[in-house]
Amino acid sequence: MEITRFRSGHGDPAAVEALLPELLAFDTVINRVSGLGEDFDPIPEDVRHALTSRSEYRTTLTWIGRSDGDIVARGTADLRLTSNTDTAELWCAVRPDLRRRGLGAALLDRMESDLAADGRTALSTYCEIPESVRTADLRGAHLAAETGAGTLPVALPEVSFLRARGYGLAQIERCSVAPTATAAELDLGDMADDYVIETWRGPVPEQRLEHIALCKRRLSTDVPGAAKFGGEETWDGERVRALDAEKNAKGESMATALALLGGEPAGYTQVGYAAGRPTVGWQGGTLVLNEHRGHRLGARLKIANHRSLAEHSAVDRVYTWNAVENSWMLAINDQAGFATWAWVGMWTKNLH
C-alpha cells in the first residue's frame, strides 16, 4: 500500500476536484457498512472543504492509501493552530473487503509518526456503533469507559483495533435523533425569571459575537470529560466571524438560540444543516454556564431553536451527541423527544 498525505489548502485545485469522486465513493462505502444510515453519508462540500480550506485556527491532514491505483484506506486529522497545539483528532478507515490484513495498522502507524514529528502527541479518535449493533451482544465481554459510565462490546472490530493500537476508551457518547416538530411543540410553561432567549439563523449578529465566543470558550472546559480532549480553547469575536464565513463557504447554515440575563450570556445551543442535505440537522455546541444552571435553560434553549428550525428551515430531524455521564442533558433530550441512534466511543492516546 502506498500512502500519500495532503494538508488542506495546499493541493492543486484541479487535482482535488479529480480526487473528490473517489473519496466520496470510499466514504459512502465506509458509512453504509457501518449501519449508521444515509443521513451519515458524506456531503461533497464537507469533503472538498477538508481538502481545500485555509484557516488560522484549524487545518486538516488527509492520508490516502492506494493499492493497484485504488483507494483502500484513508485517514484524517483535525489540528488546532491557536490553542491545544499538541492535540490531534483522528479518523481512519479501511475498505471493508480488505480489513484484517494490516492495512489499518500501517495507515495509523504512518499517521502517528507524521503527527509526532509535528509535535502532536495527545491524540483522540472515535468509533460509532449503531444501537442495534451494540445491543446485539449484551452477554459478551464489554469494555467500560474510563469515566465509569457506559460500555462497548470488546468483540467489535473497531473496539479491538483501537485497543490493540494502544488507545484507551476515555468516554462514551450517546447519539440521539428527534423530529424537529417534537421539541418545537413542547411547552415548559411560564418561567418566573428574567432570562431572555434570542434565536437567529445564519451568521452571528455583530452585537452577539463576543457572547458566542464566551460560550464556546466555556464549552471547551465545562462539559463532562473536556479535560481529556485538550485544554481551554481561545475564542473571540473574530474567530466566531471566521467560523461563520467558513460554514457559509461550504453551504452550511447555523440556527442559534442564545440565553441572556441582563444582557449577558447565560447559555446557547446551535444546530447546523447543509444545503446538500437540508432536512437533516446536526447539533453543535450546547452549554448553560455553571452559574446559570437550575433554570431549565438547556430545555428552553433547545425548544426555542427547534421552533426556529421548524418555522424557517426544511430541517425535520436533528442528531445530537452527549456524554453518557451527562445525565442532566440526556434528560433534557429525552424530554425533547430524542431517541438513541448510536453509541460513540471516544478514545485517547499519548505518544510520549
Side-chain angles (χ1 to χ4, degrees):
M1 178 176 66
E2 180 183 357
I3 300 174
T4 55
R5 188 188 75 177
F6 307 85
R7 183 179 292 270
S8 58
H10 289 75
D12 173 60
V16 168
E17 288 303 312
L19 178 62
L20 195 61
E22 281 189 283
L23 293 182
L24 287 168
F26 179 88
D27 289 357
T28 300
V29 168
I30 297 301
N31 180 58
R32 293 300 175 86
V33 79
S34 77
L36 290 170
E38 293 183 16
D39 284 353
F40 288 73
D41 280 350
I43 296 174
E45 282 306 318
D46 286 345
V47 178
R48 179 182 287 110
H49 183 79
L51 296 171
T52 62
S53 65
R54 285 180 179 267
S55 167
E56 64 180 287
Y57 303 105
R58 301 179 78 98
T59 190
T60 301
L61 298 179
T62 299
W63 291 262
I64 294 176
R66 291 186 182 272
S67 181
D68 296 327
D70 296 327
I71 296 178
V72 296
R74 152 164 154 80
T76 62
D78 289 326
L79 310 180
R80 303 171 193 172
L81 301 178
T82 58
S83 56
N84 298 306
T85 55
D86 63 335
T87 67
E89 302 167 18
L90 314 182
W91 173 84
C92 65
V94 174
R95 208 171 75 189
D97 61 317
L98 296 175
R99 290 174 180 172
R100 298 190 179 279
R101 301 186 187 185
L103 297 179
L107 175 62
L108 191 52
D109 279 344
R110 168 67 185 275
M111 293 171 66
E112 290 180 355
S113 177
D114 288 352
L115 291 166
D118 194 41
R120 306 284 173 163
T121 56
L123 309 183
S124 62
T125 188
Y126 64 93
C127 62
E128 293 182 287
I129 313 296
E131 163 76 342
S132 58
V133 173
R134 181 177 179 270
T135 56
D137 183 23
L138 290 177
R139 289 191 241 177
H142 276 236
L143 177 66
E146 294 168 10
T147 60
T151 66
L152 291 179
V154 171
L156 290 177
E158 302 92 329
V159 175
S160 59
F161 174 76
L162 290 169
R163 287 184 77 197
R165 304 304 304 167
Y167 287 78
L169 182 56
Q171 186 180 58
I172 294 176
E173 292 186 343
R174 189 181 88 179
C175 171
S176 309
V177 62
T180 312
T182 301
E185 292 172 358
L186 289 177
D187 183 4
L188 297 179
D190 294 331
M191 295 301 198
D193 56 40
D194 295 323
Y195 288 99
V196 174
I197 295 179
E198 294 182 355
T199 62
W200 65 83
R201 292 151 311 284
V204 177
E206 185 72 25
Q207 72 273 19
R208 299 301 179 211
L209 287 171
E210 293 298 334
H211 292 160
I212 294 297
L214 171 65
C215 290
K216 286 182 174 291
R217 188 163 62 249
R218 292 284 293 272
L219 183 69
S220 69
T221 59
D222 287 9
V223 297
K228 289 181 177 291
F229 303 97
E232 182 177 271
E233 290 192 12
T234 303
W235 281 90
D236 58 19
E238 284 304 311
R239 183 172 179 183
V240 174
R241 195 197 308 275
L243 180 61
D244 280 343
E246 187 177 324
K247 290 184 178 299
N248 182 66
K250 62 176 182 175
E252 184 177 349
S253 299
M254 295 296 290
T256 303
L258 174 68
L260 299 156
L261 180 65
E264 295 301 318
Y268 85 122
T269 189
Q270 291 185 307
V271 170
Y273 51 101
R277 194 163 297 153
T279 59
V280 180
W282 307 96
Q283 181 67 54
T286 296
L287 179 73
V288 175
L289 275 61
N290 286 330
E291 58 270 29
H292 295 283
R293 292 178 181 170
H295 300 275
R296 305 186 77 183
L297 283 177
R300 292 158 70 178
L301 283 163
K302 288 204 169 188
I303 291 169
N305 213 27
H306 278 232
R307 285 176 178 165
S308 176
L309 286 164
E311 293 173 9
H312 302 287
S313 79
V315 174
D316 63 22
R317 58 196 180 278
V318 174
Y319 290 87
T320 188
W321 289 259
N322 300 98
V324 172
E325 67 269 26
N326 195 350
S327 57
W328 61 275
M329 185 57 74
L330 291 176
I332 290 170
N333 288 341
D334 289 342
Q335 184 180 32
F338 281 88
T340 302
W341 184 259
W343 300 91
V344 185
M346 309 296 291
W347 302 75
T348 59
K349 180 178 181 178
N350 198 311
L351 296 181
H352 283 311

